[in-house]
Tab-separated table of all heavy atoms in Angstrom:
chain	number	residue	atom	x	y	z
B	18	MET	N	0.824	-1.195	0.000
B	18	MET	CA	0.000	0.000	0.000
B	18	MET	C	0.867	1.258	0.000
B	18	MET	O	0.572	2.198	-0.715
B	18	MET	CB	-0.901	-0.042	1.250
B	18	MET	CG	-1.795	1.109	1.388
B	18	MET	SD	-3.308	0.717	0.579
B	18	MET	CE	-4.239	2.158	0.887
B	19	THR	N	1.930	1.239	0.782
B	19	THR	CA	2.804	2.406	0.849
B	19	THR	C	3.530	2.623	-0.469
B	19	THR	O	3.729	3.763	-0.892
B	19	THR	CB	3.812	2.246	2.000
B	19	THR	OG1	3.088	1.957	3.193
B	19	THR	CG2	4.618	3.497	2.214
B	20	VAL	N	3.908	1.534	-1.132
B	20	VAL	CA	4.574	1.651	-2.440
B	20	VAL	C	3.622	2.239	-3.471
B	20	VAL	O	4.011	3.104	-4.268
B	20	VAL	CB	5.101	0.273	-2.893
B	20	VAL	CG1	5.656	0.337	-4.295
B	20	VAL	CG2	6.151	-0.237	-1.926
B	21	ILE	N	2.367	1.803	-3.436
B	21	ILE	CA	1.361	2.361	-4.354
B	21	ILE	C	1.173	3.845	-4.072
B	21	ILE	O	1.085	4.660	-5.001
B	21	ILE	CB	0.029	1.596	-4.215
B	21	ILE	CG1	0.212	0.164	-4.703
B	21	ILE	CG2	-1.080	2.285	-4.990
B	21	ILE	CD1	-0.962	-0.738	-4.400
B	22	TRP	N	1.121	4.230	-2.779
B	22	TRP	CA	0.996	5.642	-2.429
B	22	TRP	C	2.171	6.433	-2.996
B	22	TRP	O	1.992	7.512	-3.549
B	22	TRP	CB	0.959	5.817	-0.904
B	22	TRP	CG	0.952	7.253	-0.513
B	22	TRP	CD1	-0.157	8.019	-0.314
B	22	TRP	CD2	2.078	8.103	-0.336
B	22	TRP	NE1	0.232	9.304	-0.003
B	22	TRP	CE2	1.602	9.383	-0.011
B	22	TRP	CE3	3.445	7.927	-0.413
B	22	TRP	CZ2	2.438	10.460	0.233
B	22	TRP	CZ3	4.282	8.998	-0.172
B	22	TRP	CH2	3.785	10.238	0.151
B	23	PHE	N	3.385	5.894	-2.850
B	23	PHE	CA	4.572	6.599	-3.336
B	23	PHE	C	4.518	6.796	-4.849
B	23	PHE	O	4.846	7.872	-5.346
B	23	PHE	CB	5.846	5.840	-2.956
B	23	PHE	CG	7.090	6.502	-3.462
B	23	PHE	CD1	7.544	7.672	-2.892
B	23	PHE	CD2	7.786	5.966	-4.533
B	23	PHE	CE1	8.684	8.308	-3.368
B	23	PHE	CE2	8.929	6.583	-5.018
B	23	PHE	CZ	9.376	7.754	-4.432
B	24	ILE	N	4.087	5.791	-5.579
B	24	ILE	CA	3.991	5.910	-7.039
B	24	ILE	C	2.973	6.982	-7.426
B	24	ILE	O	3.224	7.814	-8.298
B	24	ILE	CB	3.650	4.549	-7.661
B	24	ILE	CG1	4.835	3.582	-7.479
B	24	ILE	CG2	3.293	4.684	-9.130
B	24	ILE	CD1	4.523	2.147	-7.816
B	25	VAL	N	1.821	6.977	-6.762
B	25	VAL	CA	0.788	7.986	-7.051
B	25	VAL	C	1.302	9.384	-6.723
B	25	VAL	O	1.135	10.327	-7.504
B	25	VAL	CB	-0.511	7.680	-6.269
B	25	VAL	CG1	-1.495	8.838	-6.355
B	25	VAL	CG2	-1.136	6.399	-6.779
B	26	TRP	N	1.959	9.542	-5.568
B	26	TRP	CA	2.486	10.849	-5.181
B	26	TRP	C	3.567	11.316	-6.161
B	26	TRP	O	3.619	12.482	-6.527
B	26	TRP	CB	3.052	10.809	-3.766
B	26	TRP	CG	3.709	12.082	-3.371
B	26	TRP	CD1	3.097	13.231	-2.983
B	26	TRP	CD2	5.121	12.358	-3.369
B	26	TRP	NE1	4.036	14.199	-2.707
B	26	TRP	CE2	5.298	13.690	-2.949
B	26	TRP	CE3	6.244	11.600	-3.673
B	26	TRP	CZ2	6.543	14.275	-2.839
B	26	TRP	CZ3	7.486	12.184	-3.556
B	26	TRP	CH2	7.625	13.515	-3.139
B	27	LEU	N	4.434	10.394	-6.578
B	27	LEU	CA	5.504	10.736	-7.508
B	27	LEU	C	4.940	11.222	-8.829
B	27	LEU	O	5.399	12.235	-9.382
B	27	LEU	CB	6.416	9.524	-7.724
B	27	LEU	CG	7.745	9.771	-8.400
B	27	LEU	CD1	8.600	10.700	-7.549
B	27	LEU	CD2	8.464	8.456	-8.619
B	28	ILE	N	3.932	10.544	-9.344
B	28	ILE	CA	3.295	10.978	-10.598
B	28	ILE	C	2.620	12.329	-10.408
B	28	ILE	O	2.774	13.232	-11.229
B	28	ILE	CB	2.301	9.909	-11.083
B	28	ILE	CG1	3.058	8.656	-11.521
B	28	ILE	CG2	1.440	10.446	-12.223
B	28	ILE	CD1	2.177	7.461	-11.785
B	29	ALA	N	1.865	12.481	-9.322
B	29	ALA	CA	1.173	13.752	-9.076
B	29	ALA	C	2.168	14.887	-8.871
B	29	ALA	O	1.921	16.018	-9.295
B	29	ALA	CB	0.267	13.624	-7.856
B	30	ASN	N	3.293	14.612	-8.236
B	30	ASN	CA	4.294	15.642	-7.986
B	30	ASN	C	4.985	16.073	-9.273
B	30	ASN	O	5.318	17.242	-9.436
B	30	ASN	CB	5.322	15.127	-6.972
B	30	ASN	CG	6.155	16.239	-6.389
B	30	ASN	OD1	5.692	17.344	-6.220
B	30	ASN	ND2	7.385	15.926	-6.066
B	31	ASN	N	5.201	15.148	-10.195
B	31	ASN	CA	5.887	15.482	-11.443
B	31	ASN	C	4.953	16.024	-12.515
B	31	ASN	O	5.362	16.843	-13.332
B	31	ASN	CB	6.641	14.266	-11.980
B	31	ASN	CG	7.845	13.941	-11.135
B	31	ASN	OD1	8.489	14.821	-10.589
B	31	ASN	ND2	8.135	12.657	-10.995
B	32	VAL	N	3.706	15.574	-12.543
B	32	VAL	CA	2.757	16.025	-13.558
B	32	VAL	C	2.130	17.352	-13.151
B	32	VAL	O	2.023	18.272	-13.954
B	32	VAL	CB	1.675	14.956	-13.802
B	32	VAL	CG1	0.586	15.479	-14.713
B	32	VAL	CG2	2.311	13.703	-14.394
B	33	GLY	N	1.695	17.437	-11.922
B	33	GLY	CA	1.029	18.653	-11.438
B	33	GLY	C	2.031	19.609	-10.817
B	33	GLY	O	3.209	19.638	-11.174
B	34	THR	N	1.546	20.351	-9.861
B	34	THR	CA	2.417	21.287	-9.153
B	34	THR	C	3.223	20.537	-8.102
B	34	THR	O	2.880	19.435	-7.703
B	34	THR	CB	1.583	22.382	-8.456
B	34	THR	OG1	0.691	21.768	-7.540
B	34	THR	CG2	0.809	23.197	-9.458
B	35	HIS	N	4.286	21.140	-7.636
B	35	HIS	CA	5.144	20.526	-6.620
B	35	HIS	C	4.378	20.419	-5.311
B	35	HIS	O	3.852	21.401	-4.804
B	35	HIS	CB	6.407	21.364	-6.429
B	35	HIS	CG	7.336	20.805	-5.412
B	35	HIS	ND1	8.005	19.621	-5.591
B	35	HIS	CD2	7.695	21.250	-4.194
B	35	HIS	CE1	8.743	19.375	-4.525
B	35	HIS	NE2	8.567	20.356	-3.660
B	36	GLU	N	4.285	19.207	-4.781
B	36	GLU	CA	3.541	18.951	-3.547
B	36	GLU	C	4.490	18.414	-2.485
B	36	GLU	O	4.742	17.214	-2.424
B	36	GLU	CB	2.417	17.937	-3.792
B	36	GLU	CG	1.321	18.419	-4.698
B	36	GLU	CD	0.445	19.454	-4.045
B	36	GLU	OE1	0.429	19.524	-2.804
B	36	GLU	OE2	-0.205	20.197	-4.768
B	37	PRO	N	5.032	19.272	-1.634
B	37	PRO	CA	5.938	18.781	-0.593
B	37	PRO	C	5.169	18.041	0.504
B	37	PRO	O	3.975	18.238	0.689
B	37	PRO	CB	6.559	20.064	-0.043
B	37	PRO	CG	5.514	21.098	-0.272
B	37	PRO	CD	4.842	20.713	-1.566
B	38	LEU	N	5.877	17.185	1.225
B	38	LEU	CA	5.285	16.492	2.367
B	38	LEU	C	5.518	17.343	3.604
B	38	LEU	O	6.645	17.520	4.051
B	38	LEU	CB	5.927	15.119	2.541
B	38	LEU	CG	5.740	14.151	1.387
B	38	LEU	CD1	6.495	12.867	1.650
B	38	LEU	CD2	4.278	13.870	1.158
B	39	LEU	N	4.447	17.896	4.131
B	39	LEU	CA	4.538	18.773	5.299
B	39	LEU	C	3.997	18.055	6.525
B	39	LEU	O	2.929	17.468	6.489
B	39	LEU	CB	3.748	20.055	5.059
B	39	LEU	CG	4.187	20.898	3.851
B	39	LEU	CD1	3.238	22.071	3.667
B	39	LEU	CD2	5.598	21.380	4.036
B	40	PHE	N	4.759	18.113	7.621
B	40	PHE	CA	4.327	17.475	8.857
B	40	PHE	C	3.835	18.475	9.890
B	40	PHE	O	3.270	18.081	10.902
B	40	PHE	CB	5.470	16.644	9.441
B	40	PHE	CG	5.737	15.401	8.643
B	40	PHE	CD1	6.713	15.381	7.670
B	40	PHE	CD2	4.992	14.258	8.855
B	40	PHE	CE1	6.952	14.237	6.931
B	40	PHE	CE2	5.214	13.112	8.127
B	40	PHE	CZ	6.208	13.099	7.157
B	41	ASP	N	4.057	19.759	9.674
B	41	ASP	CA	3.599	20.765	10.631
B	41	ASP	C	3.094	21.991	9.884
B	41	ASP	O	3.896	22.855	9.541
B	41	ASP	CB	4.720	21.152	11.589
B	41	ASP	CG	4.232	22.050	12.707
B	41	ASP	OD1	3.038	21.968	13.045
B	41	ASP	OD2	5.049	22.822	13.222
B	42	PRO	N	1.864	22.150	9.563
B	42	PRO	CA	0.741	21.242	9.776
B	42	PRO	C	0.729	20.133	8.719
B	42	PRO	O	1.300	20.281	7.648
B	42	PRO	CB	-0.472	22.143	9.618
B	42	PRO	CG	-0.035	23.163	8.621
B	42	PRO	CD	1.437	23.388	8.917
B	43	VAL	N	0.059	19.053	9.022
B	43	VAL	CA	-0.008	17.908	8.110
B	43	VAL	C	-0.884	18.271	6.918
B	43	VAL	O	-2.001	18.753	7.079
B	43	VAL	CB	-0.587	16.681	8.847
B	43	VAL	CG1	-0.790	15.524	7.889
B	43	VAL	CG2	0.317	16.283	9.987
B	44	ASN	N	-0.341	18.074	5.705
B	44	ASN	CA	-1.161	18.311	4.526
B	44	ASN	C	-1.801	17.002	4.065
B	44	ASN	O	-1.627	15.951	4.674
B	44	ASN	CB	-0.344	18.975	3.409
B	44	ASN	CG	0.764	18.107	2.875
B	44	ASN	OD1	0.966	16.990	3.320
B	44	ASN	ND2	1.498	18.623	1.911
B	45	VAL	N	-2.559	17.051	2.980
B	45	VAL	CA	-3.320	15.887	2.514
B	45	VAL	C	-2.390	14.741	2.137
B	45	VAL	O	-2.661	13.583	2.462
B	45	VAL	CB	-4.218	16.284	1.319
B	45	VAL	CG1	-4.896	15.076	0.717
B	45	VAL	CG2	-5.246	17.300	1.759
B	46	TRP	N	-1.286	15.037	1.457
B	46	TRP	CA	-0.365	13.970	1.039
B	46	TRP	C	0.261	13.277	2.247
B	46	TRP	O	0.399	12.063	2.274
B	46	TRP	CB	0.720	14.519	0.122
B	46	TRP	CG	0.191	14.786	-1.245
B	46	TRP	CD1	-0.048	16.006	-1.801
B	46	TRP	CD2	-0.203	13.820	-2.228
B	46	TRP	NE1	-0.558	15.856	-3.063
B	46	TRP	CE2	-0.661	14.521	-3.347
B	46	TRP	CE3	-0.212	12.437	-2.259
B	46	TRP	CZ2	-1.117	13.884	-4.495
B	46	TRP	CZ3	-0.674	11.798	-3.403
B	46	TRP	CH2	-1.116	12.520	-4.501
B	47	THR	N	0.636	14.025	3.244
B	47	THR	CA	1.231	13.428	4.436
B	47	THR	C	0.191	12.626	5.211
B	47	THR	O	0.499	11.549	5.732
B	47	THR	CB	1.842	14.515	5.330
B	47	THR	OG1	2.735	15.304	4.541
B	47	THR	CG2	2.606	13.909	6.482
B	48	ALA	N	-1.029	13.119	5.267
B	48	ALA	CA	-2.092	12.387	5.957
B	48	ALA	C	-2.375	11.059	5.278
B	48	ALA	O	-2.556	10.037	5.950
B	48	ALA	CB	-3.361	13.232	6.014
B	49	THR	N	-2.387	11.037	3.944
B	49	THR	CA	-2.615	9.780	3.244
B	49	THR	C	-1.413	8.838	3.396
B	49	THR	O	-1.586	7.626	3.432
B	49	THR	CB	-2.935	10.001	1.761
B	49	THR	OG1	-1.891	10.770	1.152
B	49	THR	CG2	-4.265	10.698	1.584
């Protein structure tokens, strides 16, 4: 499941806008 999440995030990060993983506050990507 985590590998699938990483692949989806990698595609979304490269195709769309840059989506950093934020832990303070937690954003949607970090929560998922």
Side-chain angles (χ1 to χ4, degrees):
M18 180 91 178
T19 307
V20 174
I21 294 170
W22 175 91
F23 178 72
I24 292 169
V25 170
W26 175 78
L27 194 63
I28 292 170
N30 196 33
N31 289 326
V32 173
T34 59
H35 180 67
E36 294 288 339
L38 298 176
L39 301 175
F40 288 95
D41 188 27
V43 175
N44 65 0
V45 174
W46 285 108
T47 307
T49 55

